[in-house]
Amino acid sequence: LQDAFAQSPSVAFAAVLHAMVLSVFYMGRTESCMELAVHRVSMPFQGADLRNSPSAASIQERHTRWKERLPQSDKDVWDALQQLDGGEQASLFAHCAAYCVNAQWEPVPKHGGGRVSAHGVARRIDHANVLARAVGLDMIGAGWRPTFDNYLNRVAKPRILEAVAEATGPQTAGLIDHLKKGDMAREAERLLADANWLPEPLRTPVIEEPLPLTDEADALPAFLDEDDSYADQEGDDEYAIAA
């Protein structure tokens, strides 16, 4: 069966989608022979603004719409999925797969023994940036803003001042550098509200594309061309003398 399955990509996609849907929308997942499940990424320490963010609301609304379209019994899921067109199947697949995306940084014990290594976290973030560039992620457009709760009160005072200085200028940062931490964080939230500023971990690194070669870049420098002309002329003179 594995060999025949491998030779039928359409059936393979349908089976993977079926297993993912069972994993995301149904408990038990006893209706699939696929050893495959969606491992949802949890964010236990998220603030209220993240739970209530436009992105979180969009995910929940999408999930609710799909749940209303799917049958109540997991025994009927396979047949129901076959009734969807290709675009609908792809959209449902993407919705289920999105729950697996983990772009979270997490601390690693200094002496090892943790669940993940520093290298593993770094590779995870690097690939998250690849996905962010691929989908054109725009955190500002998605509605994220630095607030007292989600960032400013969680970092040290120098980092708050650095953020305000970068976003609005050093003079503005100087206006709040005398405040206590809590007051500084609240005032910084006001100053950064419309600044379109993101902390470094939320910025998608931009990869600079190499400049394409042009005909001018391929051409030899002028002095080399002149040398060639001079050499040709000198050679002609030698032939003339010899003649």
Side-chain angles (χ1 to χ4, degrees):
L1 178 58
Q2 288 181 342
D3 182 49
F5 186 86
Q7 298 179 61
S8 181
S10 60
V11 174
F13 173 78
V16 171
L17 175 61
H18 178 242
M20 294 175 73
V21 169
L22 291 175
S23 179
V24 170
F25 291 92
Y26 300 86
M27 298 296 293
R29 307 190 303 275
T30 59
E31 295 301 314
S32 175
C33 65
M34 298 288 290
E35 295 292 331
L36 183 151
V38 172
H39 299 286
R40 291 200 188 198
V41 176
S42 62
M43 292 177 279
F45 303 110
Q46 60 179 310
D49 58 337
L50 181 58
R51 289 194 300 270
N52 301 322
S53 66
S55 295
S58 176
I59 292 173
Q60 185 56 49
E61 290 171 3
R62 187 183 306 111
H63 188 87
T64 300
R65 289 196 304 270
W66 277 116
K67 189 173 183 178
E68 291 173 349
R69 294 187 60 182
L70 293 170
Q72 291 186 351
S73 173
D74 57 355
K75 295 180 175 60
D76 300 324
V77 173
W78 176 268
D79 291 336
L81 294 180
Q82 307 316 305
Q83 302 304 313
L84 301 177
D85 62 34
E88 291 174 320
Q89 290 180 349
S91 295
L92 181 55
F93 180 90
H95 172 71
C96 294
Y99 285 111
C100 301
V101 176
N102 185 358
Q104 297 181 91
W105 178 88
E106 58 184 286
V108 177
K110 292 183 179 180
H111 304 291
R115 187 176 63 86
V116 294
S117 65
H119 176 74
V121 173
R123 296 304 303 146
R124 173 201 300 169
I125 299 302
D126 286 345
H127 190 244
N129 288 330
V130 171
L131 295 185
R133 285 190 291 269
V135 301
L137 178 64
D138 178 6
M139 291 295 293
I140 297 296
W144 194 92
R145 298 292 185 275
T147 67
F148 178 90
D149 292 321
N150 71 9
Y151 180 75
L152 297 168
N153 198 42
R154 301 186 180 193
V155 297
K157 290 176 62 175
R159 186 63 61 85
I160 298 175
L161 295 173
E162 179 183 329
V164 174
E166 181 182 5
T168 64
Q171 291 183 339
T172 305
L175 298 176
I176 64 172
D177 61 0
H178 64 286
L179 298 176
K180 293 182 178 180
K181 168 71 177 293
D183 295 334
M184 179 185 291
R186 290 186 177 87
E187 187 62 17
E189 177 179 349
R190 183 185 67 82
L191 294 172
L192 295 172
D194 299 317
N196 292 339
W197 179 87
L198 290 173
E200 191 68 28
L202 296 185
R203 301 176 189 178
T204 302
V206 177
I207 297 179
E208 295 185 2
E209 298 292 339
L211 295 176
L213 293 177
T214 63
D215 293 339
E216 293 181 358
D218 294 335
L220 290 173
F223 71 90
L224 289 179
D225 286 340
E226 291 174 358
D227 286 350
D228 290 343
S229 299
Y230 177 76
D232 292 341
Q233 181 180 359
E234 187 177 24
D236 292 341
D237 291 342
E238 291 178 355
Y239 290 134
I241 294 173

